[in-house]
Amino acid sequence: PKGALGEAKGVGLVYDFPSRWWGGRVAGLTDQPGASVHGVVFEIAEKDWPIVQHKEGAVTGMCVERPVTVTLAEDGKFSTGSE
């Protein structure tokens, strides 16, 4: 599926959960004033959301859903505020 570049401000990545599957640590979000996380934003149909919740471990408490405000890039670029 096609996604859009996005930036979530005021949050940072934290690798605080060990994966038994591949032996590394899984990234989550934490409040971090002044920080930002860039990524690709995908629209997920409401009917498909339970599948995402299951894969992310919501049922077992391995992840906790939280609201995050994301700014989408225009034409693949973010405004610096000086333009």
Side-chain angles (χ1 to χ4, degrees):
K2 185 176 180 181
L5 295 177
E7 177 184 17
K9 293 183 179 179
V11 294
L13 291 176
V14 58
Y15 297 88
D16 62 349
F17 193 85
S19 170
R20 290 185 232 173
W21 176 253
W22 60 278
R25 298 185 75 74
V26 178
L29 295 176
T30 186
D31 292 328
Q32 190 174 348
S36 64
V37 174
H38 291 86
V40 179
V41 179
F42 297 97
E43 184 173 339
I44 299 172
E46 185 175 346
K47 69 177 182 65
D48 295 331
W49 192 244
I51 297 166
V52 174
Q53 289 173 314
H54 176 75
K55 294 302 285 181
E56 291 295 324
V59 173
T60 61
M62 291 175 17
C63 78
V64 178
E65 290 183 41
R66 61 173 288 170
V68 176
T69 300
V70 176
T71 302
L72 298 180
E74 294 183 33
D75 298 325
K77 298 178 182 176
F78 291 98
S79 172
T80 61
S82 61
E83 300 170 1

Coordinates of all heavy atoms in Angstrom, one line a residue:
P1 N 0.8 -1.2 0.0 CA 0.0 0.0 0.0 C 0.9 1.3 0.0 O 2.0 1.3 0.6 CB -0.8 -0.1 1.3 CG -0.1 -1.1 2.1 CD 0.7 -1.9 1.2
K2 N 0.3 2.3 -0.6 CA 1.1 3.5 -0.7 C 0.9 4.3 0.7 O -0.2 4.3 1.2 CB 0.5 4.4 -1.8 CG 1.3 5.7 -2.0 CD 0.8 6.4 -3.2 CE 1.7 7.7 -3.3 NZ 1.2 8.5 -4.4
G3 N 2.0 4.8 1.2 CA 1.9 5.6 2.4 C 2.4 7.0 2.1 O 2.8 7.4 1.0
A4 N 2.4 7.8 3.2 CA 2.8 9.2 3.1 C 3.9 9.4 4.2 O 3.8 8.9 5.3 CB 1.7 10.2 3.3
L5 N 4.9 10.3 3.9 CA 5.9 10.6 4.9 C 5.2 11.4 6.0 O 4.4 12.3 5.7 CB 7.0 11.4 4.3 CG 7.9 10.7 3.2 CD1 8.9 11.6 2.7 CD2 8.6 9.5 3.9
G6 N 5.6 11.1 7.2 CA 5.0 11.8 8.4 C 6.0 12.0 9.5 O 7.0 11.4 9.6
E7 N 5.7 13.0 10.3 CA 6.5 13.3 11.5 C 5.7 13.5 12.7 O 4.7 14.3 12.7 CB 7.3 14.6 11.2 CG 8.2 15.1 12.4 CD 8.9 16.4 12.1 OE1 8.4 17.1 11.2 OE2 9.8 16.7 12.9
A8 N 6.0 12.8 13.7 CA 5.3 12.9 15.0 C 6.2 13.7 15.9 O 7.3 13.3 16.2 CB 5.0 11.6 15.6
K9 N 5.8 14.9 16.4 CA 6.6 15.7 17.3 C 6.3 15.5 18.7 O 5.2 15.1 19.1 CB 6.4 17.2 16.9 CG 6.9 17.5 15.5 CD 6.8 19.0 15.2 CE 7.4 19.3 13.8 NZ 7.2 20.7 13.5
G10 N 7.3 15.7 19.6 CA 7.1 15.5 21.0 C 7.2 14.1 21.5 O 6.9 13.8 22.6
V11 N 7.6 13.2 20.6 CA 7.8 11.8 21.0 C 9.2 11.3 20.5 O 9.8 11.9 19.6 CB 6.7 10.9 20.4 CG1 5.4 11.2 21.0 CG2 6.7 10.9 18.9
G12 N 9.7 10.3 21.2 CA 10.9 9.7 20.8 C 10.8 8.2 20.8 O 9.8 7.6 21.3
L13 N 11.7 7.5 20.2 CA 11.7 6.0 20.2 C 12.4 5.5 21.5 O 13.4 6.0 21.9 CB 12.5 5.5 19.0 CG 11.8 5.7 17.7 CD1 12.7 5.2 16.6 CD2 10.4 5.0 17.6
V14 N 11.8 4.5 22.1 CA 12.5 3.8 23.2 C 12.4 2.3 22.9 O 11.4 1.8 22.4 CB 11.7 4.1 24.5 CG1 10.3 3.8 24.5 CG2 12.4 3.4 25.7
Y15 N 13.5 1.6 23.1 CA 13.6 0.2 22.8 C 13.5 -0.6 24.1 O 14.5 -1.0 24.7 CB 14.9 -0.2 22.0 CG 14.9 0.5 20.7 CD1 15.4 1.8 20.6 CD2 14.4 -0.1 19.6 CE1 15.5 2.4 19.3 CE2 14.4 0.5 18.3 CZ 14.9 1.8 18.2 OH 14.9 2.4 17.0
D16 N 12.3 -0.7 24.6 CA 12.1 -1.2 26.0 C 11.4 -2.5 26.1 O 11.0 -2.9 27.2 CB 11.3 -0.1 26.7 CG 9.9 0.1 26.2 OD1 9.6 -0.4 25.1 OD2 9.1 0.8 26.9
F17 N 11.2 -3.2 25.0 CA 10.5 -4.5 25.1 C 11.3 -5.6 24.4 O 11.5 -5.4 23.2 CB 9.1 -4.4 24.5 CG 8.3 -5.6 24.9 CD1 7.6 -5.6 26.1 CD2 8.2 -6.7 24.0 CE1 6.8 -6.7 26.4 CE2 7.4 -7.7 24.3 CZ 6.7 -7.8 25.5
P18 N 11.7 -6.6 25.1 CA 12.5 -7.7 24.4 C 11.6 -8.6 23.5 O 10.5 -8.9 23.9 CB 13.1 -8.5 25.5 CG 12.2 -8.2 26.7 CD 11.6 -6.8 26.5
S19 N 12.1 -8.9 22.3 CA 11.4 -9.8 21.5 C 11.9 -11.2 21.6 O 13.1 -11.5 21.5 CB 11.6 -9.4 20.0 OG 11.1 -10.4 19.1
R20 N 11.0 -12.1 22.0 CA 11.4 -13.5 22.1 C 11.5 -14.1 20.7 O 12.2 -15.2 20.5 CB 10.4 -14.3 22.9 CG 10.5 -13.9 24.4 CD 9.6 -14.8 25.2 NE 8.7 -14.0 26.0 CZ 7.7 -14.4 26.7 NH1 7.4 -15.6 26.7 NH2 7.0 -13.6 27.4
W21 N 10.9 -13.5 19.7 CA 10.9 -14.0 18.4 C 12.3 -13.9 17.7 O 12.8 -14.9 17.1 CB 9.8 -13.3 17.6 CG 9.8 -13.7 16.1 CD1 10.2 -13.0 15.1 CD2 9.3 -15.0 15.6 NE1 10.0 -13.7 13.9 CE2 9.5 -14.9 14.2 CE3 8.8 -16.1 16.1 CZ2 9.2 -15.9 13.3 CZ3 8.4 -17.1 15.3 CH2 8.6 -17.1 13.9
W22 N 12.9 -12.7 17.7 CA 14.1 -12.5 17.0 C 15.3 -12.1 18.0 O 16.4 -11.9 17.5 CB 14.0 -11.5 15.9 CG 13.5 -10.2 16.3 CD1 12.2 -9.8 16.5 CD2 14.3 -9.0 16.5 NE1 12.1 -8.5 16.8 CE2 13.4 -8.0 16.8 CE3 15.6 -8.8 16.4 CZ2 13.9 -6.7 17.1 CZ3 16.1 -7.5 16.7 CH2 15.2 -6.4 17.0
G23 N 15.0 -12.0 19.2 CA 16.1 -11.8 20.2 C 16.5 -10.3 20.4 O 17.4 -10.0 21.2
G24 N 16.0 -9.4 19.6 CA 16.3 -8.0 19.8 C 15.3 -7.3 20.7 O 14.6 -7.9 21.5
R25 N 15.2 -6.0 20.6 CA 14.3 -5.2 21.3 C 13.3 -4.5 20.4 O 13.7 -4.1 19.3 CB 15.0 -4.2 22.2 CG 15.9 -5.0 23.3 CD 16.5 -4.2 24.3 NE 15.7 -3.6 25.3 CZ 15.2 -4.3 26.3 NH1 15.4 -5.6 26.4 NH2 14.5 -3.8 27.3
V26 N 12.1 -4.3 20.8 CA 11.1 -3.7 20.0 C 10.9 -2.2 20.4 O 10.9 -1.9 21.5 CB 9.7 -4.5 20.2 CG1 8.6 -3.8 19.4 CG2 9.9 -5.9 19.9
A27 N 10.8 -1.4 19.3 CA 10.6 0.1 19.6 C 9.2 0.4 19.9 O 8.2 -0.1 19.5 CB 11.0 0.8 18.3
G28 N 9.1 1.4 20.8 CA 7.8 2.0 21.2 C 8.0 3.5 21.2 O 9.1 4.0 21.0
L29 N 7.0 4.2 21.5 CA 7.0 5.7 21.6 C 7.0 6.1 23.1 O 6.3 5.5 23.9 CB 5.9 6.3 20.9 CG 5.8 6.1 19.4 CD1 4.5 6.7 18.8 CD2 7.0 6.7 18.7
T30 N 7.7 7.2 23.4 CA 7.7 7.8 24.7 C 7.6 9.3 24.5 O 8.1 9.9 23.5 CB 9.0 7.4 25.5 OG1 8.8 7.9 26.8 CG2 10.2 8.0 24.9
D31 N 6.9 10.0 25.5 CA 6.9 11.4 25.4 C 8.3 12.0 25.6 O 9.1 11.6 26.5 CB 6.0 12.0 26.6 CG 4.6 11.6 26.4 OD1 4.1 11.5 25.2 OD2 3.9 11.4 27.4
Q32 N 8.7 12.9 24.6 CA 10.0 13.4 24.7 C 10.0 14.8 24.0 O 10.1 14.9 22.8 CB 11.0 12.5 24.0 CG 12.5 13.0 24.1 CD 13.4 12.0 23.5 OE1 13.1 10.9 23.1 NE2 14.7 12.4 23.4
P33 N 9.7 15.9 24.8 CA 9.6 17.2 24.3 C 10.8 17.6 23.5 O 12.0 17.3 23.8 CB 9.5 18.1 25.6 CG 9.0 17.2 26.6 CD 9.6 15.8 26.3
G34 N 10.6 18.2 22.3 CA 11.6 18.6 21.4 C 12.1 17.5 20.4 O 12.9 17.8 19.5
A35 N 11.7 16.3 20.6 CA 12.1 15.2 19.8 C 11.0 15.0 18.7 O 9.9 15.5 18.8 CB 12.4 13.9 20.6
S36 N 11.4 14.2 17.7 CA 10.4 13.8 16.7 C 10.8 12.5 16.1 O 11.9 12.1 16.1 CB 10.2 14.9 15.6 OG 11.4 15.0 14.9
V37 N 9.8 11.8 15.6 CA 10.0 10.5 15.0 C 9.4 10.6 13.5 O 8.3 11.0 13.4 CB 9.3 9.4 15.7 CG1 9.3 8.1 15.0 CG2 9.9 9.2 17.1
H38 N 10.2 10.2 12.6 CA 9.8 10.2 11.2 C 9.4 8.8 10.7 O 10.0 7.9 11.2 CB 10.9 10.8 10.3 CG 11.1 12.2 10.4 ND1 12.0 12.7 11.4 CD2 10.6 13.3 9.8 CE1 12.0 14.1 11.3 NE2 11.2 14.4 10.4
G39 N 8.5 8.7 9.8 CA 8.1 7.4 9.3 C 7.1 7.5 8.2 O 6.9 8.6 7.6
V40 N 6.6 6.4 7.8 CA 5.6 6.4 6.8 C 4.2 6.1 7.4 O 4.1 5.2 8.2 CB 5.9 5.3 5.7 CG1 4.9 5.2 4.6 CG2 7.3 5.5 5.1
V41 N 3.2 6.8 7.0 CA 1.9 6.7 7.6 C 1.0 6.0 6.5 O 1.0 6.4 5.4 CB 1.3 8.1 7.9 CG1 -0.1 8.0 8.4 CG2 2.2 8.9 8.8
F42 N 0.3 5.0 7.0 CA -0.6 4.2 6.2 C -2.0 4.3 6.7 O -2.2 4.3 7.9 CB -0.2 2.7 6.2 CG 1.1 2.4 5.6 CD1 2.2 2.3 6.4 CD2 1.3 2.3 4.2 CE1 3.5 2.1 5.9 CE2 2.5 2.1 3.7 CZ 3.6 1.9 4.5
E43 N -3.0 4.4 5.8 CA -4.4 4.3 6.3 C -4.8 2.9 6.4 O -4.5 2.1 5.5 CB -5.3 5.0 5.2 CG -6.7 5.1 5.7 CD -7.6 5.9 4.7 OE1 -7.0 6.7 4.0 OE2 -8.8 5.7 4.8
I44 N -5.3 2.5 7.5 CA -5.8 1.2 7.8 C -7.3 1.1 8.0 O -7.8 1.9 8.8 CB -5.1 0.6 9.1 CG1 -3.6 0.6 8.9 CG2 -5.6 -0.8 9.4 CD1 -2.8 0.3 10.1
A45 N -7.9 0.3 7.2 CA -9.4 0.2 7.3 C -9.8 -0.3 8.7 O -9.1 -1.1 9.3 CB -9.9 -0.8 6.2
E46 N -10.9 0.2 9.2 CA -11.4 -0.1 10.5 C -11.5 -1.6 10.7 O -11.2 -2.1 11.7 CB -12.7 0.6 10.8 CG -13.2 0.4 12.2 CD -14.5 1.2 12.5 OE1 -14.8 2.1 11.7 OE2 -15.1 0.9 13.5
K47 N -12.0 -2.3 9.6 CA -12.2 -3.7 9.7 C -10.9 -4.5 9.9 O -10.8 -5.6 10.4 CB -12.9 -4.3 8.5 CG -12.2 -4.2 7.2 CD -12.9 -4.8 6.1 CE -12.2 -4.8 4.8 NZ -11.0 -5.6 4.8
D48 N -9.8 -3.9 9.5 CA -8.4 -4.5 9.6 C -7.7 -4.2 10.9 O -6.7 -4.8 11.2 CB -7.6 -4.1 8.4 CG -8.1 -4.6 7.1 OD1 -8.8 -5.7 7.1 OD2 -7.9 -4.0 6.0
W49 N -8.2 -3.2 11.6 CA -7.5 -2.8 12.9 C -7.3 -3.9 13.9 O -6.2 -4.0 14.5 CB -8.2 -1.6 13.5 CG -7.3 -1.0 14.5 CD1 -7.6 -0.9 15.9 CD2 -6.0 -0.3 14.4 NE1 -6.5 -0.2 16.5 CE2 -5.6 0.1 15.6 CE3 -5.2 -0.1 13.2 CZ2 -4.4 0.7 15.8 CZ3 -4.0 0.5 13.4 CH2 -3.6 0.9 14.7
P50 N -8.3 -4.8 14.1 CA -8.0 -5.9 15.0 C -6.8 -6.8 14.7 O -6.2 -7.3 15.5 CB -9.4 -6.7 15.0 CG -10.4 -5.7 14.6 CD -9.7 -4.8 13.7
I51 N -6.6 -6.9 13.4 CA -5.4 -7.7 12.9 C -4.1 -7.0 13.4 O -3.2 -7.7 13.9 CB -5.4 -7.9 11.4 CG1 -6.7 -8.7 11.0 CG2 -4.2 -8.6 10.9 CD1 -7.0 -8.7 9.5
V52 N -4.1 -5.7 13.2 CA -2.9 -5.0 13.6 C -2.7 -5.1 15.1 O -1.6 -5.3 15.6 CB -3.0 -3.5 13.2 CG1 -1.8 -2.7 13.8 CG2 -3.0 -3.4 11.7
Q53 N -3.8 -4.9 15.9 CA -3.8 -5.0 17.3 C -3.2 -6.4 17.8 O -2.4 -6.5 18.7 CB -5.1 -4.8 17.9 CG -5.6 -3.4 17.8 CD -7.0 -3.2 18.3 OE1 -7.9 -4.0 17.9 NE2 -7.3 -2.2 19.1
H54 N -3.7 -7.4 17.1 CA -3.2 -8.8 17.4 C -1.7 -8.9 17.2 O -1.0 -9.4 18.0 CB -4.0 -9.8 16.6 CG -3.5 -11.2 16.8 ND1 -3.8 -11.9 18.0 CD2 -2.8 -12.0 16.1 CE1 -3.2 -13.1 17.9 NE2 -2.6 -13.2 16.8
K55 N -1.3 -8.5 16.0 CA 0.1 -8.6 15.6 C 1.1 -7.8 16.5 O 2.2 -8.2 16.8 CB 0.4 -8.3 14.2 CG -0.3 -9.2 13.2 CD 0.1 -10.6 13.3 CE 1.5 -10.9 12.8 NZ 2.0 -12.3 12.9
E56 N 0.6 -6.7 17.0 CA 1.4 -5.8 17.9 C 1.3 -6.2 19.4 O 2.0 -5.7 20.2 CB 0.9 -4.3 17.7 CG 1.2 -3.7 16.4 CD 2.7 -3.6 16.1 OE1 3.5 -3.3 17.1 OE2 3.1 -3.8 15.0
G57 N 0.5 -7.2 19.7 CA 0.4 -7.7 21.1 C -0.5 -6.9 22.0 O -0.3 -6.9 23.2
A58 N -1.5 -6.2 21.5 CA -2.4 -5.5 22.3 C -3.2 -6.4 23.3 O -3.4 -6.0 24.4 CB -3.4 -4.7 21.5
V59 N -3.5 -7.6 22.9 CA -4.3 -8.5 23.7 C -3.5 -8.9 25.0 O -4.0 -9.0 26.0 CB -4.7 -9.7 22.9 CG1 -5.4 -10.8 23.8 CG2 -5.7 -9.3 21.8
T60 N -2.2 -9.1 24.8 CA -1.3 -9.5 25.9 C -0.7 -8.4 26.7 O 0.0 -8.6 27.6 CB -0.2 -10.4 25.3 OG1 0.6 -9.7 24.4 CG2 -0.8 -11.7 24.6
G61 N -1.0 -7.2 26.2 CA -0.4 -6.0 26.9 C 1.0 -5.7 26.5 O 1.7 -4.8 27.1
M62 N 1.5 -6.3 25.4 CA 2.8 -6.0 24.9 C 2.9 -4.6 24.3 O 4.0 -4.1 24.1 CB 3.3 -7.1 23.9 CG 3.5 -8.4 24.6 SD 3.9 -9.8 23.5 CE 4.4 -9.2 22.0
C63 N 1.8 -4.1 23.9 CA 1.8 -2.7 23.4 C 0.5 -2.0 24.0 O -0.4 -2.6 24.4 CB 1.7 -2.7 21.9 SG 0.1 -3.0 21.1
V64 N 0.6 -0.7 24.0 CA -0.5 0.1 24.5 C -0.8 1.2 23.5 O 0.1 1.9 23.1 CB -0.1 0.8 25.9 CG1 -1.2 1.7 26.3 CG2 0.2 -0.3 26.9
E65 N -2.0 1.2 23.0 CA -2.4 2.2 22.0 C -2.3 3.6 22.7 O -2.7 3.8 23.8 CB -3.7 2.0 21.4 CG -3.8 0.7 20.6 CD -5.1 0.5 19.9 OE1 -5.8 1.5 19.5 OE2 -5.6 -0.6 19.9
R66 N -1.9 4.6 21.9 CA -1.9 6.0 22.4 C -2.1 6.9 21.2 O -1.7 6.6 20.1 CB -0.6 6.3 23.1 CG 0.6 6.2 22.1 CD 1.9 6.6 22.7 NE 1.9 8.1 22.8 CZ 2.8 8.8 23.4 NH1 3.8 8.2 24.1 NH2 2.8 10.1 23.5
P67 N -2.8 8.0 21.4 CA -2.9 9.0 20.3 C -1.6 9.7 20.0 O -0.8 10.0 21.0 CB -4.0 10.0 20.9 CG -3.9 9.9 22.3 CD -3.4 8.5 22.6
V68 N -1.3 9.9 18.8 CA -0.2 10.7 18.3 C -0.6 11.6 17.2 O -1.2 11.1 16.3 CB 1.0 9.7 17.9 CG1 2.1 10.5 17.3 CG2 1.4 8.8 19.0
T69 N -0.2 12.8 17.2 CA -0.5 13.7 16.1 C 0.7 13.7 15.2 O 1.8 13.8 15.5 CB -0.7 15.2 16.7 OG1 -1.7 15.2 17.6 CG2 -1.0 16.1 15.5
V70 N 0.3 13.5 13.9 CA 1.4 13.3 12.9 C 1.2 14.4 11.8 O 0.0 14.6 11.3 CB 1.3 11.9 12.2 CG1 2.3 11.8 11.1 CG2 1.5 10.9 13.2
T71 N 2.2 15.1 11.4 CA 2.2 16.0 10.3 C 2.7 15.3 9.1 O 3.8 14.7 9.1 CB 3.1 17.2 10.6 OG1 2.7 17.8 11.8 CG2 3.1 18.2 9.5
L72 N 1.9 15.4 8.0 CA 2.3 14.7 6.8 C 3.1 15.7 5.9 O 2.8 16.9 5.9 CB 1.0 14.3 6.0 CG 0.1 13.3 6.7 CD1 -1.0 12.9 5.8 CD2 0.9 12.0 7.0
A73 N 4.1 15.2 5.2 CA 4.9 16.0 4.4 C 4.2 16.4 3.1 O 3.3 15.6 2.6 CB 6.2 15.2 4.0
E74 N 4.5 17.5 2.6 CA 3.9 18.0 1.3 C 4.9 17.7 0.2 O 6.1 18.2 0.3 CB 3.5 19.5 1.4 CG 2.4 19.7 2.4 CD 2.0 21.2 2.3 OE1 2.0 21.8 1.3 OE2 1.6 21.7 3.4
D75 N 4.5 17.0 -0.8 CA 5.5 16.7 -1.9 C 6.7 16.0 -1.4 O 7.8 16.3 -1.9 CB 5.8 18.0 -2.7 CG 4.6 18.6 -3.4 OD1 3.7 17.8 -3.8 OD2 4.5 19.8 -3.5
G76 N 6.6 15.3 -0.4 CA 7.8 14.5 0.2 C 8.7 15.4 1.0 O 9.8 14.9 1.4
K77 N 8.4 16.6 1.3 CA 9.2 17.5 2.1 C 8.5 18.1 3.3 O 7.3 18.4 3.2 CB 9.8 18.6 1.3 CG 10.6 18.1 0.1 CD 11.1 19.3 -0.7 CE 11.9 18.7 -1.9 NZ 12.4 19.8 -2.8
F78 N 9.2 18.3 4.4 CA 8.6 19.0 5.5 C 9.0 20.4 5.5 O 10.1 20.8 5.2 CB 9.1 18.3 6.9 CG 8.6 17.0 7.1 CD1 9.3 15.9 6.8 CD2 7.3 16.8 7.6 CE1 8.9 14.6 7.0 CE2 6.8 15.5 7.8 CZ 7.6 14.4 7.5
S79 N 8.1 21.3 5.9 CA 8.4 22.7 6.0 C 9.3 23.0 7.2 O 9.1 22.4 8.2 CB 7.1 23.5 6.2 OG 7.3 24.8 6.4
T80 N 10.3 23.8 7.0 CA 11.2 24.2 8.0 C 10.7 25.4 8.9 O 11.2 25.7 9.9 CB 12.6 24.6 7.5 OG1 12.4 25.7 6.6 CG2 13.2 23.4 6.7
G81 N 9.6 26.0 8.4 CA 9.0 27.1 9.1 C 9.7 28.4 8.7 O 9.3 29.5 9.0
S82 N 10.8 28.4 7.9 CA 11.4 29.6 7.5 C 11.1 30.0 6.0 O 11.6 30.9 5.5 CB 12.9 29.4 7.6 OG 13.4 28.4 6.8
E83 N 10.2 29.2 5.4 CA 9.9 29.5 4.0 C 8.7 30.4 3.9 O 7.8 30.5 4.7 CB 9.6 28.2 3.3 CG 10.8 27.3 3.3 CD 10.6 25.9 2.8 OE1 9.4 25.6 2.4 OE2 11.5 25.1 2.8

